[in-house]
């Protein structure tokens, strides 16, 4: 969180635009990216914009932590699992793209559907299920310039070539 505060406050000094902060993550990183999108940034510091993070790309993310609560290495209470579950939070101002491999576990597929349902199409502007991809090789889609995942990442970053038509939101 503090790293993004630093980025926001110093981006212009390094040629960046603090009004175009986009985050991405895979698996637990997808959870973290989603949490950063949902963060109440004004509670972190009053000089920050409420929507410091404009968009998030969450690949195979976790959005409800209750099913993980009993994993011995996590030590999550019911209250903590609820507090750290993005699906239980109000929809943020920004936008999110979710990606999940079609060959992932039922739980990852459920998690992806859950955040789309919880936050709705205004926030989750695309929900992609990539056929024949599992939890690890779904990341290959991000590196493939011909894949919808790659194009969606470029859209979120504002880097999609004007010659390419933007992708419509997925159901």
């Amino acid at each position: 969180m503090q790293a993004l505060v630093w980025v926001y406050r110093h981006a212009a000094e390094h040629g960046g635009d603090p009004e175009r902060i986009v985050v991405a993550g895979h698996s637990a990183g997808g959870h973290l990216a989603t949490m950063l999108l949902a963060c109440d940034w004004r509670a972190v510091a009053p000089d920050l914009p409420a929507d410091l993070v404009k968009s998030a790309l969450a690949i195979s993310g976790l959005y409800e932590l209750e099913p993980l609560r009993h994993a011995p290495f996590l030590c999550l209470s019911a209250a903590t699992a609820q507090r750290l579950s993005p699906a239980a939070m109000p929809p943020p101002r920004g936008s999110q793209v979710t990606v999940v491999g079609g060959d992932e576990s039922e739980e990852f597929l459920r998690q992806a559907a859950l955040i789309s349902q919880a936050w709705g199409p205004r926030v989750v502007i695309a929900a992609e299920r990539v056929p024949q991809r599992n939890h690890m090789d779904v990341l290959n889609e991000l590196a493939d310039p011909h894949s919808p995942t790659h194009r969606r990442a470029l859209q979120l970053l504002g880097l999609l070539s004007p010659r390419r038509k933007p992708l419509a939101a997925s159901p």
Side-chain angles (χ1 to χ4, degrees):
M1 187 178 312
Q2 292 303 318
L4 276 180
V5 172
W6 188 94
V7 167
Y8 175 78
R9 291 182 176 151
H10 298 277
E13 298 167 24
H14 301 279
D17 182 352
E19 300 303 319
R20 292 180 51 196
I21 295 176
V22 177
V23 295
H26 171 255
S27 197
H31 171 261
L32 293 175
T34 303
M35 291 291 288
L36 291 169
L37 181 67
C39 182
D40 178 2
W41 290 100
R42 293 237 168 101
V44 175
D47 66 311
L48 298 176
D51 61 344
L52 185 139
V53 173
K54 303 302 186 224
S55 300
L57 172 62
I59 301 172
S60 304
L62 301 169
Y63 313 107
E64 178 186 46
L65 299 187
E66 177 59 31
L68 305 175
R69 194 164 71 81
H70 301 289
F73 56 90
L74 288 180
C75 302
L76 290 174
S77 68
T80 301
Q82 178 73 8
R83 184 174 54 81
L84 297 177
S85 292
M89 298 175 176
R93 293 182 184 196
S95 60
Q96 176 153 324
V97 169
T98 62
V99 177
V100 65
D103 291 344
E104 295 203 46
S105 71
E106 286 301 317
E107 181 59 17
F108 279 106
L109 298 173
R110 185 191 74 79
Q111 293 267 349
L114 177 65
I115 196 67
S116 291
Q117 179 183 15
W119 284 358
R122 184 196 61 75
V123 175
V124 182
I125 59 171
E128 182 181 351
R129 185 183 287 197
V130 185
Q132 299 176 339
R133 290 292 191 186
N134 62 44
H135 192 70
M136 298 312 290
D137 69 8
V138 70
L139 288 170
N140 294 343
E141 297 297 307
L142 192 55
D144 178 358
H146 303 292
S147 79
T149 302
H150 183 87
R151 289 192 307 273
R152 291 185 200 287
L154 292 178
Q155 279 183 307
L156 293 178
L157 292 167
L159 299 174
L160 189 63
S161 164
R163 291 179 290 183
R164 281 193 166 163
K165 223 174 157 183
L167 296 172
S170 298

